[in-house]
Amino acid sequence: MRLDGIALRYGLRDPWVLYGVDLDVPTGQLIRAQGGNGGGKSTLLRLVAGVRTPTRGSVRDQPARRAYVPERFPAALPFTAHDYLCHLGRIHGLRGAEPARRADALLDRFGAAAFARTPLAELSKGTCQKVAVAQALLGEPELLVLDEAWTGLDQASRAELDAAVDERLAQGGTVLFVDHDPGRLADRPTLRWQVGDGSVTATDAPSKSAASTTATTTTVRITLTADAALLSELRNDPRVRIEQTEALT
Ligand SMILES: Nc1ncnc2c1ncn2[C@@H]1O[C@H](COP(=O)(O)OP(=O)(O)OP(=O)(O)O)[C@@H](O)[C@H]1O
């Protein structure tokens, strides 16, 4: 799978979150996306998971079986946990008794079997997160994308999710994740994507300390005379933050 010339912004007047990103997503690897707050990690995960399309560029050769645990699971769906998972199982192509079997097995695995018949909207945050994780594992995905998926899980469920990641990797799958805990899955060989300032840099070495990777900010005061094209170009460059434009409007 590959990201080619990706640029993404959420609105026409919004800054670019990602800009000029060319990236291979190697099969069978554990990949950690890291970087500062608001740097674009979740946005990148949405692109790779296929739940968001880029403003420019293309995402090619995605595996057919992809799954995603979003940072915020939409809990207000009109289903019980079990029915929701069965429904998704059928969407994943499971037939007969298989969706129910897998749904029950996953709810049991994550200690949520007692809530199988509870409407999603009535679940606690932690149990809801277990359902979010279960829906992603239902279809045995070739590409599993986890955005802070461990957050809200109890210790036993976090260990189960670690094990599920290992199972996906053992099956030759790819797992891309973001997590605030630097120790998460830290003992596994991991490719790292450093996300920030619109770009993504792949490295397989552990990141340096925050102090040694702090970006340099240079403030430049410039005066442009009636150059709307240049101003527009600067506005579209993710490396540039325009603080004052009063003389330019
Ligand atoms: N749905 C959205 N609509 C508009 N702007 C958004 C949306 N999602 C994210 N953004 C903006 O895009 C930028 C990148 O956000 P994103 O959530 O991808 O970063 P992040 O690195 O995951 O941040 P964090 O570590 O805080 O979760 C931020 O400025 C954010 O406000």
Side-chain angles (χ1 to χ4, degrees):
M1 176 173 171
R2 187 171 162 75
L3 275 55
D4 261 334
I6 293 288
L8 187 144
R9 61 179 168 192
Y10 284 96
L12 210 57
R13 309 255 336 146
D14 289 343
W16 292 102
V17 178
L18 298 171
Y19 196 85
V21 173
D22 295 305
L23 197 62
D24 281 315
V25 185
T27 303
Q29 288 246 25
L30 177 63
I31 309 167
R32 178 180 197 125
Q34 57 190 32
N37 284 350
K41 301 181 294 297
S42 292
T43 301
L44 179 65
L45 264 56
R46 287 178 204 129
L47 275 171
V48 172
V51 298
R52 182 115 212 162
T53 51
T55 314
R56 294 183 196 160
S58 59
V59 181
R60 294 195 282 115
D61 305 326
Q62 298 109 306
R65 284 184 284 121
R66 302 186 296 266
Y68 170 55
V69 179
E71 203 175 2
R72 271 173 289 278
F73 180 63
L77 297 166
F79 294 102
T80 64
H82 178 269
D83 288 352
Y84 173 65
L85 293 175
C86 287
H87 179 65
L88 283 179
R90 286 189 288 272
I91 290 175
H92 284 303
L94 304 177
R95 291 290 170 258
E98 193 58 12
R101 194 193 64 76
R102 286 204 200 174
D104 288 338
L106 281 164
L107 288 172
D108 192 42
R109 179 173 187 179
F110 286 93
F115 303 99
R117 309 289 163 193
T118 307
L120 290 178
E122 291 173 26
L123 294 177
S124 71
K125 229 173 160 186
T127 307
C128 207
Q129 187 61 16
K130 293 178 180 187
V131 176
V133 168
Q135 63 80 25
L137 298 175
L138 257 185
E140 301 182 337
E142 300 157 278
L143 170 65
L144 176 61
V145 179
L146 304 171
D147 196 346
E148 306 265 4
W150 289 262
T151 304
L153 294 181
D154 53 61
Q155 204 171 348
S157 297
R158 287 202 296 267
E160 282 303 333
L161 181 52
D162 290 358
V165 165
D166 289 336
E167 286 161 20
R168 290 294 93 230
L169 294 168
Q171 294 291 318
T174 304
V175 180
L176 168 62
F177 76 103
V178 167
D179 200 83
H180 61 270
D181 179 357
R184 182 80 57 220
L185 304 174
D187 54 350
R188 279 86 167 164
T190 308
L191 175 70
R192 289 165 193 270
W193 287 350
Q194 189 69 33
V195 186
D197 295 328
S199 68
V200 184
T201 312
T203 159
D204 54 6
S207 67
K208 294 179 195 152
S209 73
S212 62
T213 56
T214 303
T216 306
T217 302
T218 307
T219 304
V220 181
R221 188 176 179 89
I222 54 173
T223 304
L224 302 173
T225 309
D227 192 340
L230 179 55
L231 179 59
S232 165
E233 203 174 307
L234 288 173
R235 276 202 172 111
N236 281 331
D237 189 325
R239 294 165 304 172
V240 176
R241 178 167 300 155
I242 297 178
E243 309 236 322
Q244 283 179 289
T245 58
E246 78 276 10
L248 301 165
T249 51

